[in-house]
Amino acid sequence: MFEEYLLLGAFFLSFIFVITLAIWIFKITQKHRKELKKNPPKQINLDDTPSEPILKKVTVINQYCNTKVVGIKQPKAVEEFFIAFQESDGNTFDLSVPEECYDGFEIGQKGTLSLVDGKLYGFELEE
């Protein structure tokens, strides 16, 4: 008899717990839906095309990398890779490049550099 009441009590407590959890989840989702209605996410315009590439005749004059520490709670070291170029008119500039591209450049190489929005888009060697 006591075991039946114990089992019934456990079932009742489990039922109340599940109902409370369901109500809590429902309220959170309702609150989130209201926030989304007030501040809808920005839509991505798929018609936007990247800018036209800027082409420059350049010579690679230097390569270097820096290591910087980012983060406060969990700091980590991040490497930045740069290539220094000299344009045909004598102006020089440094360009941040992905690590995968860094080893593809050699000092003294001449070619046409393609930039889109100020970032490396391509490099075609002169023959």
Side-chain angles (χ1 to χ4, degrees):
M1 182 83 174
F2 177 73
E3 294 169 353
E4 291 174 0
Y5 287 121
L6 187 61
L7 185 60
L8 185 63
F11 177 75
F12 181 72
L13 286 175
S14 299
F15 180 74
I16 289 178
F17 176 75
V18 169
I19 296 296
T20 304
L21 185 62
I23 292 171
W24 183 65
I25 291 172
F26 179 76
K27 286 184 178 183
I28 289 174
T29 55
Q30 286 296 98
K31 180 180 176 184
H32 185 67
R33 286 180 186 165
K34 286 179 183 177
E35 288 176 8
L36 281 176
K37 283 182 181 178
K38 288 180 185 176
N39 302 319
K42 293 180 182 178
Q43 298 294 321
I44 297 173
N45 186 358
L46 297 177
D47 294 333
D48 287 345
T49 55
S51 303
E52 284 293 314
I54 298 171
L55 304 176
K56 296 183 178 193
K57 295 278 189 188
V58 296
T59 303
V60 177
I61 58 172
N62 195 10
Q63 294 177 279
Y64 63 95
C65 63
N66 293 331
T67 303
K68 67 179 183 179
V69 177
V70 295
I72 296 172
K73 291 185 178 180
Q74 295 180 338
K76 66 178 183 176
V78 176
E79 290 182 323
E80 296 177 308
F81 298 88
F82 296 92
I83 306 292
F85 295 98
Q86 183 175 22
E87 296 180 70
S88 55
D89 63 3
N91 292 332
T92 62
F93 64 95
D94 295 351
L95 184 65
S96 177
V97 297
E99 182 178 2
E100 302 83 35
C101 298
Y102 181 76
D103 289 331
F105 290 93
E106 293 180 12
I107 294 175
Q109 285 180 326
K110 293 183 179 188
T112 303
L113 180 69
S114 302
L115 301 172
V116 173
D117 296 329
K119 296 181 181 176
L120 176 66
Y121 185 72
F123 184 74
E124 185 176 336
L125 289 172
E126 285 184 0
E127 293 184 20

